[in-house]
């Protein structure tokens, strides 16, 4: 029996933990043919992992619903169309767990842990590439923000004003039926307003980190712009798309960590999009327009 790799085991554990107790116990009975009696959920999960021939077999199980796989991918920062079939979600999940991807994720995970504990401490090497910074920043930021959504059933990570400059600014433009614009000044207010998107409004922001959805550029004055597009979800429903621009500046007093100077967030609800394709939204800003934010 080939069994599950370490990456597959960790991923399957997260998916199983998002399932109901009844489904987990029922699945344990199925995979063991009721030959093993388990006492609780954690024992059932361990049994399911041990008795599964491979990750694909486990994901195919009837009790592993497509919604559980979709939510797992969203938490991992992997954008998928909200109407994806289960077999499409399975294929993308297995790709996400493949050995090459695993090493990249491990590096991103280490970077993410480092940034979370050290105020987005994404240090550039000698050959600084804004796009690499942008990709790693988005992985970190959206995992952190989405963890504030308590309906996902995960432990919220350490969110707060420490990730922003004291004079940070948020500009929020929302087109959901009518158009509304609001601005928030100061690290505390900006932090609280962004957090409320996930915590109070229960939104899940899934960024499109493919080339059409992500751009980054650096100004000569030390500002790095990161622009990203993505989809917005609540539970299993896709509500619309977003475009978000971050201005990042290093803080020499805090181990040269990157902190957020400003955020521009545009939200468009489905009703404002008409027939537009929203599966993997592309940025509408070009490089020239982004450079205007550097001024």
């Amino acid at each position: 029996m080939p069994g599950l790799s370490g990456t597959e085991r960790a991923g399957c554990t997260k998916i199983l933990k998002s399932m109901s107790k009844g489904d987990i116990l029922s699945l344990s009975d199925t995979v063991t043919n009721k030959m093993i009696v388990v006492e609780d959920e954690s024992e059932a999960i361990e049994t399911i992992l041990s008795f599964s021939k491979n990750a694909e077999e486990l994901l195919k199980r009837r009790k592993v619903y497509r919604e559980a796989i979709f939510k797992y991918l969203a938490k991992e920062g992997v954008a998928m169309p909200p109407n994806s079939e289960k077999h499409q979600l399975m294929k993308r999940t297995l790709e996400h767990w493949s050995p090459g991807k695993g090493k990249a994720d491990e590096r991103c995970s280490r970077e993410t842990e480092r940034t979370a504990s050290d105020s987005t401490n994404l240090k550039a090497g000698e050959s600084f590439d804004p796009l690499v910074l942008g990709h790693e920043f988005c992985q970190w930021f959206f995992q952190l923000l989405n963890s504030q959504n308590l309906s996902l059933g995960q432990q919220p990570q350490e969110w707060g004003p420490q990730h922003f400059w004291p004079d940070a600014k948020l500009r929020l433009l929302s087109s959901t039926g009518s158009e509304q614009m609001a601005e928030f000044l100061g690290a505390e207010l900006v932090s609280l307003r962004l957090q409320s998107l996930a915590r109070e409004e229960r939104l899940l922001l899934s960024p499109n980190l493919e080339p059409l959805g992500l751009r980054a550029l650096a100004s000569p004055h030390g500002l790095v712009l990161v622009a990203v597009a993505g989809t917005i979800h609540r539970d299993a429903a896709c509500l619309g798309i977003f475009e978000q621009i971050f201005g990042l500046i290093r803080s020499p007093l805090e181990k040269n960590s990157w902190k957020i100077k400003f955020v521009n967030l545009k939200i468009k609800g489905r009703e404002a999009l008409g027939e537009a394709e929203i599966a993997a939204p592309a940025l509408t800003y070009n490089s020239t327009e982004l450079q205007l934010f550097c001024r």
Side-chain angles (χ1 to χ4, degrees), residues 95-229:
E95 287 171 0
H96 185 62
W97 292 340
S98 66
K101 176 67 181 165
K103 286 178 185 171
D105 282 352
E106 195 178 315
R107 179 178 60 79
C108 255
S109 174
R110 284 199 303 270
E111 193 67 62
T112 299
E113 287 168 19
R114 192 154 62 88
T115 55
S117 63
D118 198 14
S119 299
T120 54
N121 187 12
L122 290 163
K123 295 180 180 176
E126 290 178 9
S127 55
F128 174 61
D129 184 345
L131 195 58
V132 172
L133 171 66
H135 194 281
E136 292 178 347
F137 170 79
C138 287
Q139 286 270 9
W140 169 81
F141 178 84
F142 289 104
Q143 281 185 10
L144 177 63
L145 180 62
N146 288 335
S147 77
Q148 309 304 307
N149 185 334
L150 302 180
S151 68
L152 296 179
Q154 67 182 102
Q155 184 66 31
Q157 296 173 28
E158 190 182 342
W159 177 271
Q162 70 271 20
H163 302 307
F164 301 83
W165 284 88
D167 61 347
K169 181 177 179 179
L170 166 64
R171 189 170 185 268
L172 179 57
L173 181 64
S174 175
S175 301
T176 52
S178 61
E179 196 166 279
Q180 295 178 313
M181 202 274 281
E183 289 192 346
F184 303 85
L185 296 174
E188 191 71 40
L189 280 179
V190 171
S191 167
L192 287 172
R193 183 63 188 97
L194 287 171
Q195 184 183 43
S196 72
L197 292 174
R199 183 160 291 181
E200 278 73 44
E201 298 175 47
R202 295 190 297 111
L203 299 179
L204 181 78
L205 273 62
S206 179
N208 176 16
L209 301 184
E210 299 301 319
L212 289 177
L214 178 68
R215 285 199 186 94
L217 55 90
S219 81
H221 312 294
L223 176 72
V224 173
L225 280 180
V226 177
V228 64

Side-chain angles (χ1 to χ4, degrees), residues 17 48 61 76 87 93 119 166 181 199 238-239 251 275 283:
K17 282 184 175 178
I48 292 165
R61 297 287 185 184
E76 293 287 303
H87 69 89
T93 304
S119 299
M181 202 274 281
R199 183 160 291 181
C238 180
L239 304 182
S251 174
E275 298 298 314
L283 278 170

Side-chain angles (χ1 to χ4, degrees), residues 221-265:
H221 312 294
L223 176 72
V224 173
L225 280 180
V226 177
V228 64
T231 49
I232 304 174
H233 309 263
R234 182 182 290 125
D235 300 323
C238 180
L239 304 182
I241 64 172
F242 71 89
E243 284 188 277
Q244 198 159 2
I245 298 175
F246 300 91
L248 308 178
I249 298 179
R250 273 203 184 106
S251 174
L253 298 178
E254 298 177 60
K255 302 179 184 176
N256 246 3
S257 61
W258 292 94
K259 298 179 77 167
I260 302 169
K261 182 73 171 177
F262 67 81
V263 183
N264 274 45
L265 175 58

